[in-house]
Amino acid sequence: MLGQPVNECRWNLPLAQNVLDSPLNNLNYEPLDLSSKVEYALLALLELANHRDRQHPLTISGITVRHGIPERYMEQILTILRRGGIIHSQRGARGGYALTREPQQISLLEVIALMDGTRKPRDHTLLTTPEREVLHKTWQQANVISQTFLQNCTLQDLCQQLEALQQKAPMYYI
């Protein structure tokens, strides 16, 4: 992918750049919060995706040491990913973890839903007013937009962005 622009998860809205350039971006408010469980799961999946061409699966310590994640916590995360069918484990001296599918087949939305579960619907038994209806409709639209983005953004997209970032980094020689 040398020389080609990095695909920002197939989402090219001028509006997104306007928001990033806006003074509102400095308010330190993130409506779509990234839980540590999801972050650690995605870091592990990135490691596994970048390790997939090697002969042996990647060990837990191969993931945790690099990112400073507690091994016990990573065990729990990898168990959820394994039960969800995203990774598989291999026992033994050359054991470890590997992806069950290609990175382009794993969406961020799938990982988030697996790690954080589904949200309970809000109680709409309260008095319905036109103002409430407008608010709920706007929030539903925002949710659809974020879910669409996360469904279209795959582990492969993250790998490509990481590769582009690493190519920009200066190389130091001793």
Side-chain angles (χ1 to χ4, degrees), residues 100-116:
T100 58
R101 294 178 268 153
E102 293 298 315
Q104 66 269 21
Q105 297 173 327
I106 301 171
S107 78
L108 299 190
L109 184 62
E110 177 184 6
V111 176
I112 292 168
L114 186 61
M115 299 311 297
D116 282 348

Side-chain angles (χ1 to χ4, degrees), residues 111-173:
V111 176
I112 292 168
L114 186 61
M115 299 311 297
D116 282 348
T118 56
R119 293 184 182 171
K120 295 178 183 176
R122 291 187 56 154
D123 182 15
H124 294 288
T125 59
L126 298 171
L127 179 65
T128 302
T129 64
E131 293 84 1
R132 236 191 209 123
E133 190 174 326
V134 167
L135 283 175
H136 288 280
K137 186 175 237 169
T138 301
W139 250 249
Q140 285 175 335
Q141 290 170 345
N143 279 322
V144 167
I145 289 169
S146 65
Q147 287 176 4
T148 301
F149 173 80
L150 293 168
Q151 180 62 44
N152 289 326
C153 193
T154 67
L155 186 56
Q156 182 64 37
D157 294 318
L158 295 183
C159 289
Q160 289 172 348
Q161 290 179 46
L162 177 61
E163 181 182 329
L165 185 64
Q166 289 171 337
Q167 288 176 358
K168 286 182 186 177
M171 296 295 267
Y172 296 101
Y173 298 97

Side-chain angles (χ1 to χ4, degrees), residues 2 15 18 25 48 51 68 87 115 167 172-173:
L2 290 174
L15 178 62
N18 289 343
N25 192 35
L48 293 172
H51 191 84
I87 64 172
M115 299 311 297
Q167 288 176 358
Y172 296 101
Y173 298 97

Side-chain angles (χ1 to χ4, degrees), residues 59-71:
T59 63
I60 288 180
S61 63
I63 299 167
T64 59
V65 169
R66 181 171 160 85
H67 298 286
I69 302 168
E71 273 196 41

Side-chain angles (χ1 to χ4, degrees), residues 28-111:
N28 294 326
Y29 174 71
E30 295 185 23
L32 188 63
D33 193 25
L34 179 66
S35 70
S36 61
K37 191 186 263 188
V38 170
E39 180 178 0
Y40 293 169
L42 289 171
L43 287 171
L45 292 172
L46 269 170
E47 290 293 332
L48 293 172
N50 288 325
H51 191 84
R52 72 183 183 281
D53 294 333
R54 301 202 178 105
Q55 289 181 334
H56 305 293
L58 189 61
T59 63
I60 288 180
S61 63
I63 299 167
T64 59
V65 169
R66 181 171 160 85
H67 298 286
I69 302 168
E71 273 196 41
R72 301 288 286 164
Y73 194 36
M74 183 54 68
E75 286 173 8
Q76 295 170 13
I77 289 168
L78 294 175
T79 298
I80 294 169
L81 292 170
R82 184 180 52 77
R83 288 181 181 157
I86 294 178
I87 64 172
H88 65 88
S89 60
Q90 179 178 325
R91 294 178 183 242
R94 293 181 179 238
Y97 294 87
L99 297 175
T100 58
R101 294 178 268 153
E102 293 298 315
Q104 66 269 21
Q105 297 173 327
I106 301 171
S107 78
L108 299 190
L109 184 62
E110 177 184 6
V111 176

